[in-house]
Amino acid sequence: MGATPLWFGPPHRPLFGWIHVPDAGECRGAVVLCPPLAGEHTNAHYTYRRLAQALEAVGLLAVRFDYDGTGDSAGSGEDPTRVNAWLASIAYAVELARRTGAPSVSLLGMRMGALLAAVAAARLGDVASLVLWDPCTSGRAFVREHQFLQRISSDPAATSRRDGGIELPGFVFRQDTVRDLSDLQVPAPTGAPPGRVLVLTRAGPSAANEIVAPFGSDHVEWQEAIGQQELLGVRTIYHQIPQGTVAAITSWLDGALGTEYVPARAPSRREASWPLSGDHRLKERLVRLGPLGLFGIVTTSVQGTTGPTVMLLNSGNDWHVGPNRLWVELSRRWAAAGLRCARFDLSGLGDSPVRDGQLDHVMRAPESFDDVADVAAALSPTDPSDVVLVGLCSGAYQALESALRLSPRGVCAINPVLR
């Protein structure tokens, strides 16, 4: 069956996700993968894809998704009530997993995603298993850690804003978001606690005792979170996928869930529309582009579009949302101005397939030139040059080099890497 992209959740504010269904169309249980926040989400994206594929291979259905206001989901990180919205997103993802027909649902989260998953497991009940991967001990600790990272990389005064919010590396949290994160605690479970809990930590069991205490200690198992520094503690272009930890988590979930297979199917919703601002209504369509079926999202205004199609290219080995979600924000603003925008993943990056013989998760791959030409032809079949290429750093290099072959209507190359 493989992976199916879709919109789900509230129609007026849709969430984006992927459902990975085992090839036989049957599964033994579902696992909802709750991502980290901010820059850690960027670094962990491809690792989550690899984990979902590994779970799929052992007969488990996996759901990947973006919280409200993050990734490709509707909304903005500067909207109010972020923590409640993130927890509601998990509840919608669990509901989606149940709709597939899976006999049970488990939750997994990394860093702040682990703390959010633990809170959701306690509130929702009926969660078969819970995996807390390198969990943050508290929302306050997460904010302080990332404030420190912002201070050492920029003007220390720039971490605080006049409106009471704070700046983290590449992201902004409102004042109420910081407060709600600081107040976030795992409550006593409303129903039966998860049957089994796995905690993977860098600093030993004591670091996460407070998080798992409400679930009782009888069914809690501990392992080391190997490779987290190489995954999260480096710039995105240098991060490494912790293959050993992915295999360990897959093995644990494989043994924790049942043995009976039941039919499972992924719902389909490939188009979503919602209000953007004023009278503008946004429409986003999930597409497969070119002979290889590169994954992309085309954004337009319901009121109509004009001019060439804007193609937003990968930056480094980041995925199609762009650096710090910039491509999502720009494509929606430009769509409101009447432009048709497409953010997509080159082969081997993000959510796109890999060409035969190609190494995946590699920036500036030679195959990217064919990818850009294929996408331009798919988006503008009567005139592939009727596009504008937009890129940052390595994506800017790609835009300039591809322009020599395509002769597009325009190029926006931001800080191009020319060596």
Side-chain angles (χ1 to χ4, degrees), residues 141-159:
F142 169 81
V143 170
R144 286 177 176 173
E145 177 184 338
H146 284 75
Q147 274 189 292
F148 173 76
L149 293 175
Q150 179 71 3
R151 287 192 181 105
I152 63 176
S153 63
S154 65
D155 178 3
T159 60

Side-chain angles (χ1 to χ4, degrees), residues 54-114:
L55 294 171
E56 178 188 335
V58 297
L60 300 176
L61 182 146
V63 175
R64 292 189 288 135
F65 72 100
D66 298 326
Y67 305 117
D68 181 284
T70 74
D72 288 307
S73 291
S76 165
E78 295 196 55
D79 290 339
T81 63
R82 291 298 77 209
V83 174
N84 284 339
W86 298 334
L87 289 168
S89 300
I90 297 176
Y92 281 119
V94 169
E95 178 187 5
L96 175 65
R98 298 196 196 284
R99 282 169 47 204
T100 66
S104 66
V105 177
S106 298
L107 287 177
L108 175 147
M110 182 192 293
R111 299 288 289 150
M112 274 305 301

Side-chain angles (χ1 to χ4, degrees), residues 136-221:
C136 292
T137 55
S138 68
R140 181 181 289 107
F142 169 81
V143 170
R144 286 177 176 173
E145 177 184 338
H146 284 75
Q147 274 189 292
F148 173 76
L149 293 175
Q150 179 71 3
R151 287 192 181 105
I152 63 176
S153 63
S154 65
D155 178 3
T159 60
S160 298
R161 292 155 49 103
R162 292 181 180 179
D163 59 8
I166 63 168
E167 290 192 20
L168 309 182
F171 293 85
V172 174
F173 278 3
R174 290 165 48 109
Q175 184 178 28
D176 63 315
T177 301
V178 175
R179 182 194 64 235
D180 293 344
L181 280 174
S182 298
D183 293 341
L184 189 63
Q185 292 184 333
V186 181
T190 57
R196 295 179 67 180
V197 179
L198 173 64
V199 187
L200 303 100
T201 68
R202 301 190 227 186
S206 60
N209 273 335
E210 186 175 340
I211 300 175
V212 298
F215 302 115
S217 59
D218 293 344
H219 306 294
V220 178
E221 303 169 47

